[in-house]
């Protein structure tokens, strides 16, 4: 056999695994059906701006081991995610914090804000749907202006028809702190995610535009072990059924102005605006290029959430009972595959943040690479 490992997928999971195998003296081949590396982290330079092609990615973690590992491949900037909400032209601070409450009710102190929220909450033992669950957690005003429209666009269904379990918790902060993530480390890799993954794959053979499933038999014979990070149901020709996802369509525009919305992330929380968010990519890097010069143009992406159908880009797994049970059946089949391991968000049918996928790949590599 020519290789110790064939790694299907040049995304973050595949890149970590390949890096760990190479570091341990193993020969790895990475293939990806896309023309690019980095999977969904892929950033493309447009007008000097790193555009997040498959959705905005903000790295954040509390995991020391993961931070120590990933900073070997990139230096991260000081970007802090502070999205804002636009509800019919009114601007609110996110996540829900003292600035949000001031704008909603003119409350100044945490005590006043708490009283206001308490007075709007309904006391329900078992909320029957997402609407009841949200009002139970944060009261009517926040639900109506900041949750309802956005969630309905995301799921394509009314909140009164959506199950309560989708929202378990809604973080409410009684401080003037609009840092979205509660993480010790946060930032964007300087130079973009693609450059970071390129560095992880240094010294590894990579073949792009190469679909494993079109040539599965031949690929089985070139490596002792296969690490597969594509969709698990596709690996088995969807023989037990189709695992469902939610998907997003991105509409990108290059604008001949230097500042469109003054923030990287603006959520549109009313129902009438057809998109859920607008991302203005340059603000992930403070509007500057790598030499520190101001960028004259800007690139924005409008995000539309819609129902996924077989063949569309799979983004968010629908981890409801039906799909989870189907995944468990595929997992049993996967365990029987000789010398083949399934990993990553598609291989495990699981939403993973980047730090969790790195941690999982490091742990799996430790177990698998001898
Ligand atoms: P992927 O990046 O999907 O890589 C899998 C690769 O396998 C792909 O390149 C694919 O082309 C390839 N492949 C599939 N099938 C085949 C085949 N048959 N043959 C060859 N190659 C194949 N995480 C954060 O921490 N912060 C964020 O802000 C954040 N934002 C996100 C926004 C969106 C819209 C989404 C969907 C996710 C976000 N994430 C975020 C999560 C992040 O994208 C994942 O953690 C990460 O992409 C997982 O890496 P992966 O290698 O498992 O999967």
């Amino acid at each position: 056999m020519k290789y110790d490992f064939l790694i299907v997928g040049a995304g973050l999971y595949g890149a970590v695994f390949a890096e760990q195998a190479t570091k341990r003296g193993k020969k790895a081949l990475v293939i990806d059906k896309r023309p690019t590396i980095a999977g969904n982290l892929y950033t493309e330079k447009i007008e000097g701006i790193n555009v997040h092609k498959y959705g905005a990615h903000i790295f954040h973690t509390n995991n020391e081991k993961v931070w120590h590992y990933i900073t070997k491949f990139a230096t991260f900037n000081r970007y802090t995610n502070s999205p804002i909400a636009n509800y019919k032209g009114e601007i609110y601070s996110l996540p829900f914090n003292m600035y949000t409450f001031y704008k909603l009710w003119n409350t100044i102190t945490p005590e006043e804000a708490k009283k206001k929220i308490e007075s709007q909450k309904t006391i329900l033992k078992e909320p029957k749907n997402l609407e009841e669950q949200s009002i139970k957690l944060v009261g009517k005003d926040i639900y109506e202006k900041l949750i309802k429209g956005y969630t309905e666009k995301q799921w394509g269904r009314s909140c009164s028809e959506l199950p309560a379990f989708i929202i378990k918790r809604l973080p409410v902060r009684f401080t003037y702190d609009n840092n979205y993530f509660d993480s010790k480390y946060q930032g964007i890799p300087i130079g973009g995610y693609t450059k970071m993954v390129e560095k992880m794959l240094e010294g590894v053979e990579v073949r792009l535009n190469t679909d494993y499933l079109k040539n599965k038999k031949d690929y089985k014979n070139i490596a002792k072990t296969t690490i597969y990070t594509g969709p698990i149901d596709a690996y088995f020709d969807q023989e037990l059924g189709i695992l469902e996802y939610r998907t997003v369509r991105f509409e990108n525009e290059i604008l001949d102005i230097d500042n469109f919305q003054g923030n990287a992330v603006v959520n549109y929380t009313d129902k009438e605006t057809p998109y859920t968010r607008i991302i203005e990519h340059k603000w992930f890097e403070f509007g500057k290029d790598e030499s520190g010069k101001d960028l004259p143009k800007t690139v924005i992406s409008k995000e539309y959430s819609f129902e996924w159908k077989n063949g569309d880009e799979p983004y968010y797994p629908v981890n409801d009972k039906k799909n989870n049970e189907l995944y468990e059946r595929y997992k049993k089949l996967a365990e029987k595959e000789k010398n083949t391991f399934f990993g990553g968000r598609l291989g495990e049918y699981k939403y993973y943040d980047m730090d969790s996928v790195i941690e999982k790949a490091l742990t799996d590599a430790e177990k698998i690479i001898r």
Side-chain angles (χ1 to χ4, degrees):
M1 299 247 184
K2 197 166 168 215
Y3 300 96
D4 296 302
F5 289 98
L6 168 69
I7 297 160
V8 181
L12 195 52
Y13 185 99
V16 172
F17 201 101
E19 187 273 336
Q20 289 289 295
T22 310
K23 197 179 101 179
R24 290 171 167 87
K26 304 290 179 191
K27 201 159 185 263
L29 168 66
V30 175
I31 62 170
D32 203 298
K33 65 178 181 184
R34 289 184 184 168
T36 51
I37 58 161
N40 279 4
L41 272 59
Y42 175 66
T43 43
E44 183 178 80
K45 267 243 166 37
I46 302 176
E47 298 293 340
I49 300 159
N50 286 309
V51 174
H52 301 213
K53 287 289 270 197
Y54 298 94
H57 278 72
I58 300 139
F59 190 87
H60 61 101
T61 191
N62 278 318
N63 187 319
E64 295 286 346
K65 182 180 160 195
V66 167
W67 183 247
H68 178 72
Y69 174 79
I70 201 65
T71 47
K72 285 192 237 167
F73 308 101
T75 304
F76 284 72
N77 71 16
R78 59 157 188 86
Y79 178 78
T80 302
N81 194 28
S82 307
I84 56 173
N86 182 327
Y87 175 78
K88 301 186 179 181
E90 293 169 15
I91 295 295
Y92 292 93
S93 175
L94 295 174
F96 314 135
N97 68 80
M98 289 300 292
Y99 291 112
T100 327
F101 310 142
Y102 174 70
K103 183 72 190 281
L104 278 166
W105 310 305
N106 276 324
T107 49
I108 306 280
T109 64
E111 201 188 335
E112 286 167 0
K114 274 182 197 165
K115 263 197 197 141
K116 192 81 194 172
I117 291 178
E118 284 308 317
S119 74
Q120 293 197 355
K121 281 184 177 178
T122 45
I123 301 157
L124 285 170
K125 259 203 177 142
E126 272 191 42
K128 286 195 293 295
N129 53 46
L130 196 142
E131 176 167 291
E132 290 186 3
Q133 169 78 334
S134 308
I135 298 174
K136 181 186 167 189
L137 292 170
V138 289
K140 210 160 179 302
D141 286 349
I142 297 179
Y143 166 69
E144 293 206 326
K145 290 195 163 177
L146 301 173
I147 298 172
K148 188 176 188 299
Y150 190 83
T151 311
E152 292 185 346
K153 286 189 284 190
Q154 255 188 330
W155 290 92
R157 276 156 73 193
S158 134
C159 284
S160 55
E161 290 166 31
L162 285 165
F165 80 82
I166 294 180
I167 294 184
K168 290 199 180 76
R169 217 169 58 81
L170 282 166
V172 177
R173 259 184 220 161
F174 294 98
T175 51
Y176 287 94
D177 176 8
N178 57 6
N179 174 359
Y180 194 81
F181 295 119
D182 221 353
S183 302
K184 188 167 173 191
Y185 305 108
Q186 176 173 186
I188 304 286
I190 293 172
Y193 287 98
T194 311
K195 199 167 152 190
M196 178 183 92
V197 176
E198 227 165 62
K199 189 132 193 243
M200 297 170 86
L201 290 173
E202 249 168 34
V204 180
E205 188 179 336
V206 179
R207 288 185 209 159
L208 299 175
N209 298 305
T210 306
D211 189 337
Y212 172 74
L213 296 177
K214 288 201 173 132
N215 236 332
K216 201 163 147 190
K217 266 202 196 124
D218 292 344
Y219 276 114
K220 281 276 178 216
N221 297 325
I222 65 168
K224 290 181 201 143
T225 305
T226 301
I227 307 296
Y228 175 83
T229 75
I232 188 167
D233 57 345
Y235 182 95
F236 295 105
D237 288 327
Q238 299 181 326
E239 65 180 61
L240 302 175
I242 296 168
L243 287 169
E244 293 168 318
Y245 288 85
R246 284 293 295 172
T247 194
V248 188
R249 179 165 58 84
F250 302 100
E251 243 176 49
N252 296 336
E253 292 171 41
I254 302 171
L255 305 177
D256 210 359
I257 52 172
D258 67 343
N259 193 353
F260 173 73
Q261 62 185 16
N263 205 36
V265 185
V266 179
N267 291 4
Y268 284 78
T269 57
D270 60 283
K271 211 180 156 188
E272 291 72 25
T273 308
Y275 37 84
T276 49
R277 310 196 293 184
I278 297 185
I279 304 298
E280 188 171 9
H281 300 267
K282 72 191 300 186
W283 301 123
F284 288 124
E285 294 168 75
F286 316 112
K288 303 202 183 289
D289 69 10
E290 269 169 73
S291 67
K293 264 206 342 246
D294 289 332
L295 290 155
K297 293 192 184 180
T298 196
V299 180
I300 60 164
S301 301
K302 290 180 180 154
E303 295 187 2
Y304 298 83
S305 184
F306 67 105
E307 206 69 53
W308 174 89
K309 55 184 184 339
N310 211 3
D312 287 339
E313 199 60 64
Y315 281 114
Y316 299 103
V318 181
N319 288 111
D320 60 7
K321 195 165 172 279
K322 180 183 98 184
N323 283 290
N324 284 345
E325 281 173 6
L326 182 57
Y327 167 67
E328 286 304 320
R329 291 173 61 210
Y330 276 120
K331 197 173 155 208
K332 288 217 170 78
L333 283 186
E335 282 159 6
K336 289 189 203 137
E337 281 289 294
K338 263 176 101 191
N339 304 325
T340 305
F341 297 89
F342 292 70
R345 64 180 194 102
L346 301 164
E348 295 177 54
Y349 192 60
K350 184 174 175 183
Y351 179 84
Y352 270 123
D353 266 333
M354 290 181 275
D355 61 334
S356 314
V357 104
I358 293 171
E359 189 188 21
K360 184 65 174 24
L362 287 173
T363 312
D364 289 351
E366 192 82 39
K367 279 192 233 150
I368 297 168
I369 308 166
R370 302 245 164 83

